[in-house]
Amino acid sequence: MYSATAKICLCAAATAAYISSNGAGVSAFSIETSRRVMLEKVTGAGAAALIGISSAATIAPSPAQASGGATAGGAYLLSAKQRYNSRVTAGVKGFLALSGPLEGGSIAEAKAFLSSEGEGGWGDFKSAGYLLSNAFRRSSSTAPDSLPSVKAWKAFAAEVEKMQKAADKKSKSGVGDAYKKAEVLLDSYLELVELPPSIEISRS
């Protein structure tokens, strides 16, 4: 009667001999079949059963592997940060640059920011800001509107849209009031998407 260790050694030797005699183009299935046949001849069905258990343990994926891995969400978030962080930061800088002119009674700069589709303007900021907030989820089945980051973004964006409406009416006070509210809401959003506070961004 062979010990478990001896059976495993015999299995390894049988596999090596088979591969050596049949060349490099041997399939995993043919190796497994050969091992069973040779082991049944040498050690009986008991050893073959042992190898079957060993093979199943090696081939069967763990639950984490079968589900795609626990880091799938983390990889998606990392990718989103790489795509959108710089665009959001540029948008924040463009938004914060309106503070001085608005305090001085000018809304021309606000109109330019709100109508710009390029990086640093509201058009690009609106798109990148939402997409970044939507990446902070634990599951792909999570509804975007339930995410704190998305809620914070929408609250901020709503005030910026009020700025747009006030600017269209040439209301300096309306633009200024909406700007102040949006400025307060901006930092809540930045915190939830793991970006520095607005004061740090403005100084960078």
Side-chain angles (χ1 to χ4, degrees):
M1 188 70 180
Y2 291 93
S3 67
T5 302
K7 291 173 182 178
I8 293 172
C9 291
L10 285 168
C11 171
T15 302
Y18 181 76
I19 294 174
S20 175
S21 63
N22 287 276
V26 181
S27 68
F29 179 78
S30 62
I31 292 173
E32 181 64 22
T33 302
S34 176
R35 284 199 300 177
R36 289 180 178 276
V37 172
M38 296 182 74
L39 282 166
E40 285 174 359
K41 290 180 179 179
V42 175
T43 65
L50 175 65
I51 297 307
I53 294 171
S54 173
S55 299
T58 302
I59 295 170
S62 67
Q65 291 171 325
S67 64
T71 62
Y76 174 73
L77 176 58
L78 178 60
S79 176
K81 285 184 174 183
Q82 291 171 341
R83 289 196 302 270
Y84 307 126
N85 272 8
S86 62
R87 291 169 57 189
V88 170
T89 299
V92 171
K93 288 183 177 180
F95 174 80
L96 296 175
L98 304 178
S99 179
L102 287 174
E103 288 179 2
S106 173
I107 63 172
E109 293 79 4
K111 285 184 175 181
F113 168 79
L114 293 166
S115 62
S116 174
E117 295 293 331
E119 188 169 303
W122 177 235
D124 186 69
F125 186 16
K126 179 166 59 176
S127 173
Y130 174 76
L131 290 171
L132 180 60
S133 70
N134 191 37
F136 283 77
R137 58 174 67 209
R138 294 185 178 181
S139 169
S140 59
S141 61
T142 303
D145 286 347
S146 69
L147 299 173
S149 52
V150 171
K151 291 179 180 179
W153 170 256
K154 287 191 172 184
F156 166 74
E159 293 301 326
V160 178
E161 295 298 335
K162 290 179 182 179
M163 287 177 61
Q164 178 73 71
K165 292 179 180 178
D168 291 341
K169 296 177 180 179
K170 299 181 181 181
S171 172
K172 294 181 180 180
S173 61
V175 174
D177 290 344
Y179 179 82
K180 289 177 182 177
K181 292 178 181 178
E183 195 174 24
V184 172
L185 294 168
L186 177 58
D187 277 319
S188 297
Y189 165 74
L190 293 174
E191 181 179 2
L192 288 169
V193 294
E194 300 176 357
L195 284 174
S198 59
I199 190 169
E200 290 185 21
I201 293 178
S202 66
R203 293 172 178 171
S204 62

